Amino acid sequence: MSKLNTVIFDLDGVLVNTDVFHFEAWKELADRLGVPFSAEQADRCRGVSRMQSLEIVLERSERTYTLAEKEAFAAEKNANYRSRLETMTPDDVPSEVLETLAELRRRGCRLALASGSKNAGLILERTGLGRMLDAVADGTMITRSKPDPEVFLTAAKLLGAEPCECAAVDDAEAGVQSARAAGMLAVAIAGAAKSGLGDMNIASVKELLQLFE
Ligand code: BG6
Ligand code: MG
């Protein structure tokens, strides 16, 4: 394996806690439709696309919906989610994330984002995180969502990095699968780490520093 010199981060649930906003916005839609929606279902929405998430939200519905209705539901949820994102400020980035990104960069590491979200640009702008990254690949640039490797490979390509030079960090099962399929060191964090899904399983982004000592 070549020497690691690049870290590619997922966004929601790794650099910022927007996963809570996703849950709240889906829950409001589910409540309006009278469909039960559990924390376990919300967990399965992590990392997968907006429309795939909607299918999970609707799986306990007693009726079926047309594609046009589903597109309207996804738009309703997204408007709700974006209004929550508009409240974000740089203070919403955990200090350990800021410190780790700065220290990784100080150690000569290239940093990129690989998010399936079409709202990543708004989050990076509101939080100021965009300034700390060398490249951004997001949901507006890909045709296949995680667990497909496309978004991690797109981020690596933007940097001119080989997959074997990259560690890819994700909190979702689909994301860890995507990282591994990309041929990168798959680093699981949060829920995915608790389930031991990664090549490396970490409780805090700070633990990434041990890869670049
Ligand atoms: C991922 C989230 O980052 O983005 C998923 O983990 C979400 O839960 C996906 O469905 C798509 O997000 P968006 O912002 O494009 O609806
Ligand atoms: Mg995530």
Side-chain angles (χ1 to χ4, degrees):
M1 193 185 218
S2 302
K3 207 168 175 310
L4 291 175
N5 56 27
T6 302
V7 182
I8 307 180
F9 293 91
D10 173 48
L11 181 61
D12 297 321
V14 175
L15 298 182
V16 284
N17 297 318
T18 43
D19 44 342
V20 180
F21 295 156
H22 277 296
F23 173 73
E24 291 169 349
W26 283 127
K27 179 83 172 80
E28 275 191 23
L29 175 72
D31 286 351
R32 185 178 77 67
L33 298 175
V35 180
F37 181 56
S38 67
E40 183 275 327
Q41 283 171 286
D43 208 43
R44 282 190 280 125
C45 291
R46 284 174 200 277
V48 302
S49 73
R50 191 180 307 166
M51 291 309 279
Q52 285 169 317
S53 295
L54 177 64
E55 293 300 336
I56 294 168
V57 172
L58 295 178
E59 68 189 13
R60 293 159 76 191
S61 170
E62 283 169 8
R63 57 159 289 195
T64 55
Y65 294 97
T66 64
L67 179 59
E69 285 172 314
K70 288 179 183 176
E71 283 172 350
F73 294 157
E76 177 182 333
K77 180 269 176 177
N78 195 50
N80 182 330
Y81 177 61
R82 282 182 72 91
S83 71
R84 293 166 195 275
L85 295 182
E86 294 287 356
T87 69
M88 293 187 86
T89 72
D91 288 341
D92 288 309
V93 184
S95 55
E96 65 175 18
V97 167
L98 292 174
E99 287 159 19
T100 302
L101 294 180
E103 182 58 22
L104 285 169
R105 160 119 350 120
R106 202 186 64 75
R107 295 185 189 188
C109 205
R110 290 175 297 185
L111 307 176
L113 188 86
S115 169
S117 173
K118 293 187 167 82
N119 294 300
L122 174 60
I123 299 168
L124 296 180
E125 182 197 314
R126 295 291 318 171
T127 59
L129 271 170
R131 285 192 294 276
M132 307 195 72
L133 300 166
D134 300 303
V136 172
D138 68 20
T140 66
M141 301 162 70
I142 55 168
T143 55
R144 296 178 303 279
S145 308
K146 298 173 186 176
D148 188 281
E150 185 179 7
V151 73
F152 279 113
L153 290 173
T154 301
K157 204 168 175 182
L158 287 170
L159 291 173
E162 293 298 326
C164 61
E165 297 173 322
C166 302
V169 190
D170 211 294
D171 65 313
E173 181 173 1
V176 175
Q177 289 169 350
S178 168
R180 191 168 286 127
M184 300 177 182
L185 178 75
V187 182
I189 193 166
K194 284 185 198 132
S195 306
L197 299 177
D199 301 322
M200 178 180 172
N201 296 284
I202 60 176
S204 159
V205 286
K206 278 187 180 164
E207 292 173 56
L208 290 168
L209 295 174
Q210 69 200 37
L211 291 171
F212 302 95
E213 275 165 356

